[in-house]
């Protein structure tokens, strides 16, 4: 823990310590070799992006794996992205899905949305709209605007659920309020196919969702 904390000071140059990437890297390496999953993840991240050390995908993969096997969610997510995109490794959707799923089960909304997309599109796993909907909803309820957009789109297209313009408008409205321009555009398009009463109901549900989650937070 002390090595990680001191390494962080050298990395940021805070706490009266002069910034020194080489010393930060040395300290994190010592902590990683002693089993610190956080330090292992950081080494993987630095090797992956070439921060404080030359870029080395082989080393990045090694340290990510060590951290991921200890349950470190960010390392699991990093592995998922590397396998998904073929970054430094052969592209492998099955392995990407495996690591995203492990990270998603720890509650990260970005990973939950990623798992939902893979279920929806059949990447690395058999296509399953019901599972996609479940993971989208988990992420959407945590405020992830892209998951809210994906959820609204599924209701609009009737994938995994009966087509429901009220639910589609509800989730696209929330996603739009969270900054998604594409959600606002699709919401406005759907509104042209809805009655005033349906729009009012969707807006009421969106307001209730926002109020409920504001109280919980």
């Amino acid at each position: 823990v002390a090595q990680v904390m001191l390494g962080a000071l050298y990395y940021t140059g805070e706490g009266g310590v002069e910034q020194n990437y080489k010393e930060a890297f040395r300290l994190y390496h010592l902590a990683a070799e002693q089993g610190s999953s956080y330090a292992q993840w950081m080494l993987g991240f630095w090797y992956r992006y070439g921060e404080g050390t030359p870029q080395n995908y082989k080393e990045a993969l090694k340290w990510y794996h060590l951290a991921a096997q200890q349950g470190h969610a960010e390392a699991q997510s990093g592995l998922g992205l590397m396998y998904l995109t073929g970054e430094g490794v052969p592209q492998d959707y099955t392995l990407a899905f495996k690591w995203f799923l492990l990270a998603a089960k720890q509650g990260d909304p970005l990973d939950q949305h990623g798992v939902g997309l893979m279920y929806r599109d059949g990447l690395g796993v058999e296509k399953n709209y019901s599972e996609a909907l479940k993971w989208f909803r988990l992420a959407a309820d945590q405020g992830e605007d892209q998951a809210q957009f994906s959820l609204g789109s599924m209701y609009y297209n009737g994938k995994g659920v009966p087509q429901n313009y009220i639910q589609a408008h509800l989730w696209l409205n929330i996603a739009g309020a969270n900054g998604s321009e594409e959600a606002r555009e699709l919401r406005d398009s759907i509104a042209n196919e809805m009655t005033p009463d349906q729009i009012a109901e969707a807006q009421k549900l969106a307001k209730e969702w926002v109020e409920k989650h504001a109280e919980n937070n």
Side-chain angles (χ1 to χ4, degrees), residues 113 117 120 133 136 145-165 167-173 175 180 182-183 186-187 190:
H113 182 230
L117 290 174
R120 186 194 70 185
L133 194 76
F136 286 156
D145 66 300
Q146 288 303 305
Q148 292 161 351
F149 173 79
S150 295
L151 192 55
S153 297
M154 288 191 76
Y155 277 111
Y156 174 60
N157 293 308
K159 288 187 175 181
V161 287
Q163 189 178 52
N164 187 320
Y165 284 0
Q167 285 294 315
H169 190 287
L170 153 69
W171 287 109
L172 293 169
N173 201 17
S180 173
E182 61 180 346
L186 183 55
R187 175 203 62 197
I190 293 172

Side-chain angles (χ1 to χ4, degrees), residues 79-87 89-101 114-115 117-119 121-126:
L79 278 177
L81 281 171
M82 290 183 76
Y83 282 114
L84 180 68
T85 61
E87 183 186 356
V89 290
Q91 191 174 52
D92 190 322
Y93 291 139
T94 301
L95 283 176
F97 177 80
K98 168 192 170 182
W99 291 112
F100 278 135
L101 183 61
V115 167
L117 290 174
M118 296 187 83
Y119 269 121
D121 299 335
L123 291 177
V125 65
E126 187 175 348

